Amino acid sequence: MKQIKVGRRRVYCSDQCGTRYRRSSRPTADNTAFARASLDDLHRLTAQFDLSGNAPQQDLALILECEKVWKDIKTAVVLQSRDRRIKAQVIAQTLSMSASSVNRMVEGAPGRRERRLASGQVPAQPRSQRHPVPGPARARRPEGGTGEMDGAAPGCGPAATLASALSHLHRRSSATYKALGAEVGVDPSYISRAVSGERIPSWPVTRKLALALEADPEEILPLWQAARGYSLVGAADVQAALRGLRTAAAHPDLKTLAARTHLSPEHITLALTGPHLPDWETTQAIVSALHGQNEIIRPLWNAARAATLSGRAVGTCTISAGAFG
């Protein structure tokens, strides 16, 4: 029974009545939105599986991400169950867990829910599918790198490529996590997780971090968009994306790239920074040399090529087939 706040102290007809009132007066969290956002992300991830046997490393990385999102779904449904006054013991029995494990899940749920539902400031762009933000789908950085390219992540997905770029920039700068955290405005441990690939930061944080590391945010933006599952078409520049991949590969020199692509250093320079869009053969050769993902760059290149043909952009730079050796 609800009592008037002003005046005498609240009195309830029973202890159970008081408990029901106190529960009803608590602000209710949007656990349904939490569950739906997590499920949308799981659908996005499962749609990327190949399962043909041609890209097992990519599928393994996706499995890790799916497991993390699945934990969010499980947490959201547990919260929904608690909202319906289902006891922890009943939930635990249904999930074959202990009641203490369920209680720990509930205790840690607010942070997971907030990360999944919070909206970051993201540059305007078309999305291929809905992706909850900032909700970082944590991606493990591959161990050992590539040996030759010092931290590049071939076949390990866009999240690992972004981590490789941030890691290279951090090593190049020699800045401490504490100094970067103070400049970016986040905890130093957050910077550490972003650089190691354990967390994909929101774009405002990523942009500030790139500036603090004396990098061009426009080159990091395509890597961040790919890591977060956004469509790059119409939102990123092909050459900026190529330069971002070069950063992720620890910025190999032109001589090294020329040896890997069978292109001249002059052709590579034009492809990376010139006024024209490089042809697809050139683009593909550079992406492969940088251990990038053709499936990410190709739609971006197609859109840029279509804009060129329609007269909305500058012409395409072509390189003869003989240049490839």
Side-chain angles (χ1 to χ4, degrees), residues 121-141:
Q121 297 296 322
V122 180
Q125 55 194 307
R127 299 184 186 184
S128 56
Q129 291 185 358
R130 183 172 181 268
H131 183 81
V133 293
R138 297 188 179 186
R140 294 184 181 274
R141 188 155 180 245

Side-chain angles (χ1 to χ4, degrees), residues 238-274:
V238 173
Q239 289 163 303
L242 291 176
R243 294 194 299 272
L245 289 177
R246 189 183 183 189
T247 299
H251 209 273
D253 58 32
L254 292 176
K255 184 176 180 180
T256 300
L257 286 178
R260 290 198 171 99
T261 60
H262 302 292
L263 298 170
S264 69
E266 292 76 18
H267 285 150
I268 295 172
T269 300
L270 282 174
L272 294 174
T273 60

Side-chain angles (χ1 to χ4, degrees), residues 24-44:
S24 66
S25 64
R26 295 172 183 166
T28 56
D30 196 350
N31 293 322
T32 298
F34 179 26
R36 288 174 177 171
S38 302
L39 186 60
D40 285 343
D41 200 27
L42 185 64
H43 287 161
R44 180 187 65 81

Side-chain angles (χ1 to χ4, degrees), residues 290-323:
L290 296 173
H291 302 304
Q293 294 85 34
N294 283 327
E295 63 272 17
I296 293 174
I297 300 297
R298 186 60 194 254
L300 181 61
W301 185 91
N302 287 342
R305 175 61 172 162
T308 297
L309 295 177
S310 66
R312 296 197 303 271
V314 293
T316 301
C317 170
T318 58
I319 298 176
S320 65

